[in-house]
Amino acid sequence: MLPNDVKNIFRNYIREKGLRNTRQREEILDAFFSAEKHITVEKLFASIKAKNPGIGYATVHRNLTLLCECGLADEMKIGRQKTRYEPKFGQKHHDHLICLKCGRFIEVNDNKIEKLQDKLAELNDFIPVRHKLEIYGICKDCK
Amino acid sequence: MLPNDVKNIFRNYIREKGLRNTRQREEILDAFFSAEKHITVEKLFASIKAKNPGIGYATVHRNLTLLCECGLADEMKIGRQKTRYEPKFGQKHHDHLICLKCGRFIEVNDNKIEKLQDKLAELNDFIPVRHKLEIYGICKDCK
DNA sequence: TTATTATTGATAACAAATATCAATATCAAG
DNA sequence: CTTGATATTGATATTTGTTATCAATAATAA
């Protein structure tokens, strides 16, 4: 079961934007937060369709976009793979170690690196807004 | 004019692989290293076509891939934009500050960050191979 | 010079993301 | 609770960027 706060953020966003809540939206929200992290539209669609064969691909896609807009998801494109979506709620920003063999994502965080990044930006007269750090390599299980 | 070393790397790679050199390949190599950095296939194609209307899109695309293979180019995908190619020769690895307003790329490097990344990987029993750091924000001209 | 075969250029095929649209569902207002 | 306006859905078409196909051509070694 997912935290009520998540549902509230979602419902409030919908209300504020003058959108409407639907059975499908709730379903997609639930499924997305229970599913594996870094999921593709295709996989999420399949998992929802298993319980509700009526669901449409476009609906899942559209609502993942909506989740990104309201800050509950992050879109990530890795190389030539299809777009993945990562649920986001409360948790701190993190970077990724990505295994070149098995494709596994490991979430990591290093405050020193973050600070140095800000310094690096400042040095270039650049106002940092967000960043993305991906380290590609071989994970411990694939060594 | 581009350094002879670049041409030699290219020609040697072609020879070693049992490929053949062509007028188009030389043209694309020249154009790529004279063009703006982080160029798309489309733009490079257009700029070559201006001088040589006979050139084909597929040829440009194929040979950018070839340049990546021989280490003279890097492919980069930013968000939902089309793939960009960055000429690479001699220069050290670098990261990018990317302006959210004008789209400008600023190349930066920080040795401390690189070292901390290696440490971070090691901490997770992960062998780093390469990485990508992109800081998105507002550049000094767009403030 | 010739034979072999890699390359080219035009275009088809492909895959993922996005747009279209008639049918349906939501929800505010009465 | 009903109703009307209109947002959403689901199926599918379209678009977009990338990659594959293939006959004609061109590069290289013998």
Side-chain angles (χ1 to χ4, degrees), chain B residues 57-124:
Chain B
Y57 180 92
T59 302
V60 177
H61 180 276
R62 273 187 297 243
N63 285 298
L64 279 173
T65 304
L66 188 66
L67 284 170
C68 289
E69 279 168 30
C70 72
L72 288 171
D74 261 342
E75 199 188 79
M76 49 193 306
K77 287 172 111 60
I78 305 291
R80 31 174 41 75
Q81 297 174 25
K82 50 189 79 164
T83 304
R84 291 162 181 279
Y85 294 85
E86 180 178 2
K88 191 170 74 172
F89 170 65
Q91 63 209 292
K92 270 171 61 183
H93 161 82
H94 55 257
D95 300 313
H96 292 104
L97 308 182
I98 303 172
C99 180
L100 292 167
K101 283 201 182 164
C102 67
R104 185 173 154 207
F105 287 66
I106 301 164
E107 298 179 354
V108 294
N109 191 273
D110 188 323
N111 231 280
K112 276 186 207 154
I113 292 181
E114 309 275 315
K115 290 235 174 76
L116 283 171
Q117 282 175 15
D118 288 344
K119 209 179 265 182
L120 184 59
E122 198 188 322
L123 211 70
N124 286 274

Side-chain angles (χ1 to χ4, degrees), chain A residues 2 8 15 37 59 66 69 71 81 89 98 104 111 139:
Chain A
L2 70 170
N8 288 337
R15 165 159 311 200
K37 282 187 161 209
T59 302
L66 188 65
E69 280 168 28
Q81 297 174 27
F89 170 65
I98 303 172
R104 186 174 154 207
N111 231 279
C139 80

Side-chain angles (χ1 to χ4, degrees), chain A residues 123-136:
Chain A
L123 211 70
N124 286 274
D125 213 353
F126 188 91
I127 304 168
V129 173
R130 61 192 162 81
H131 71 265
K132 188 164 74 173
L133 170 60
E134 289 157 3
I135 303 177
Y136 299 87

